[in-house]
């Protein structure tokens, strides 16, 4: 849906930041329109445009502030990361990219997985929230989730890709 909305604002004259702001605004506006419609249909509510606009702007402000806070509190202590350009899987392999974000203050983690098939087709993505003892264990849990997903998806030739050297080295030990 995000890509569909993004296409509404596609223009060579619009910067990427402006484009993302348009998409955010449209997303929050659509959500508030849905809530307003439900209020009118199911609760006999009334439409008040000024209130609607205030709520959309409030949602965007809260989203922006929370996103900023989340980005500033994610820690990558003791992890060495190499930034390499992403590549499609090698011929005959299916590829799962894995990554974990870890909040040291409360041990919360979030895992992200993306699957690409050998035929250069997107196979889907997953995200999982949980708890981990530290950054490396969060990345190891992301790796385990990727392997389980590959097994459930009947992947026979798997290429795993992550950015935590400690975990990648442990996987590649011969």
């Amino acid at each position: 849906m995000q890509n569909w909305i993004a296409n509404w604002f596609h223009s060579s004259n619009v910067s990427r930041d402006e484009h993302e702001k348009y998409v955010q605004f449209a997303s929050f506006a659509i959500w508030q329109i849905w809530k307003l419609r439900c209020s009118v249909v199911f609760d006999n509510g009334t439409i008040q445009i000024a209130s609607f606009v205030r709520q959309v702007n409030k949602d965007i402000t809260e989203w922006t502030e929370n996103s900023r806070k989340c980005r500033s509190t994610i820690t990558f202590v003791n992890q060495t990361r190499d930034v390499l350009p992403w590549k499609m899987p090698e011929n005959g392999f299916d590829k799962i990219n894995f990554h974990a974000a870890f909040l040291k203050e409360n041990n919360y983690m979030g895992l992200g997985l993306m699957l690409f098939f050998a035929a250069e087709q997107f196979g889907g993505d997953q995200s999982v929230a949980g708890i981990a003892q530290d950054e490396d264990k969060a990345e190891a849990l992301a790796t385990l989730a990727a392997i389980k997903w590959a097994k459930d998806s009947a992947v026979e030739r798997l290429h795993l890709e992550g950015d935590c050297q400690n975990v990648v080295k442990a996987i590649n030990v011969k």
Side-chain angles (χ1 to χ4, degrees):
M1 183 168 172
Q2 185 177 5
N3 289 337
W4 176 59
I5 293 169
N7 287 332
W8 296 351
F9 305 104
H10 182 65
S11 169
S12 58
N13 298 332
V14 178
S15 74
R16 183 170 175 85
D17 288 341
E18 289 173 338
H19 186 267
E20 288 180 17
K21 288 178 186 176
Y22 289 142
V23 171
Q24 280 182 349
F25 176 79
S27 300
F28 285 108
I30 289 169
W31 173 248
Q32 288 301 327
I33 289 169
W34 174 252
K35 287 176 57 177
L36 184 61
R37 180 192 179 281
C38 288
S39 172
V40 169
V41 171
F42 299 112
D43 299 328
N44 296 322
T46 59
I47 298 174
Q48 297 183 7
I49 299 298
S51 175
F52 169 79
V53 170
R54 275 193 306 276
Q55 187 62 48
V56 170
N57 287 330
K58 180 179 177 249
D59 288 349
I60 292 171
T61 301
E62 287 176 2
W63 172 263
T64 304
E65 182 64 22
N66 286 333
S67 296
R68 186 190 59 76
K69 285 179 183 176
C70 285
R71 282 191 304 270
S72 67
T73 60
I74 294 174
T75 59
F76 297 107
V77 180
N78 299 328
Q79 289 189 358
T80 306
R81 298 184 182 274
D82 290 332
V83 178
L84 300 172
W86 187 87
K87 296 178 183 173
M88 288 300 290
E90 292 180 24
N91 195 16
F93 281 85
D94 297 330
K95 181 177 189 178
I96 296 181
N97 289 78
F98 64 92
H99 180 66
F102 179 76
L103 296 174
K104 188 176 182 179
E105 296 79 28
N106 54 17
N107 292 355
Y108 288 163
M109 67 167 190
L111 311 178
L113 308 170
M114 293 180 69
L115 172 61
F116 291 88
F117 294 116
E120 298 185 2
Q121 292 178 316
F122 178 66
D125 54 25
Q126 293 186 6
S127 61
V128 179
I131 303 288
Q133 292 173 329
D134 59 39
E135 304 86 16
D136 286 341
K137 289 184 179 68
E139 289 283 350
L141 288 169
T143 308
L144 179 61
I147 293 168
K148 286 180 178 180
W149 188 24
K151 182 180 177 189
D152 292 344
S153 300
V155 170
E156 293 183 19
R157 298 186 69 196
L158 177 62
H159 175 112
L160 288 173
E161 185 172 285
D163 62 353
C164 179
Q165 281 186 354
N166 294 339
V167 172
V168 172
K169 283 179 183 177
I171 292 169
N172 291 321
V173 172
K174 294 181 181 182

